[in-house]
Every structure is written in C-alpha cells, then in structure tokens.
Amino acid sequence: MCESTAYLITDKGEEKIMENVVYMKPENGKIYLADLLGEQKIVEGKVKEIKLIDHKIIISDK
C-alpha cells in the first residue's frame, strides 16, 4: 500500500498525528491531511521531509 504516517516535530519531540495518509496539501502555512477513510486534519507548520520508502511525512511546527 502507498499510505503514509504523518508526524509533527516540536520542541518536545516527534508526535504521530495521522496514519494511512493518502492526501496532503501544504497551503499558507498549514498542511491539509486526509486518510484512507476520509478523516481530515489541518496542522499548522511546514513539510520538513517526506520519506517515501519509510512512508513517513515529517511536519515541523516552526
């Protein structure tokens, strides 16, 4: 499968914020995420890194 897991990096460390992410759109300092079942989340931050082999989306809150 091609789903990824999104993580938010803060001063406190790495926090898993969503699994099975199939849609991601960065826009105006926010990241719009949606999972396989249609659940949506909006996170303030910027995309720091995407690891395709590891299915990881790393988002920084700074």
Side-chain angles (χ1 to χ4, degrees), residues 11-12 14 16 19 29 33 35 44-46 54-55 61:
D11 293 336
K12 297 177 183 176
E14 183 178 283
K16 186 187 302 185
E19 294 181 326
L33 302 166
D35 72 7
E44 290 195 33
K46 64 179 185 173
D54 297 330
H55 304 280
D61 69 345

Side-chain angles (χ1 to χ4, degrees), residues 5-49:
T5 302
Y7 296 88
L8 181 64
I9 303 296
T10 65
D11 293 336
K12 297 177 183 176
E14 183 178 283
E15 173 190 355
K16 186 187 302 185
I17 55 172
M18 182 175 266
E19 294 181 326
N20 301 317
V21 175
V22 295
Y23 175 82
M24 178 188 72
K25 180 180 179 184
E27 188 173 291
N28 299 323
K30 296 180 181 179
I31 311 294
Y32 295 81
L33 302 166
D35 72 7
L36 195 58
L37 299 176
E39 181 182 338
Q40 298 179 354
K41 234 177 224 189
I42 301 171
V43 180
E44 290 195 33
K46 64 179 185 173
V47 177
K48 179 178 178 185
E49 185 176 7

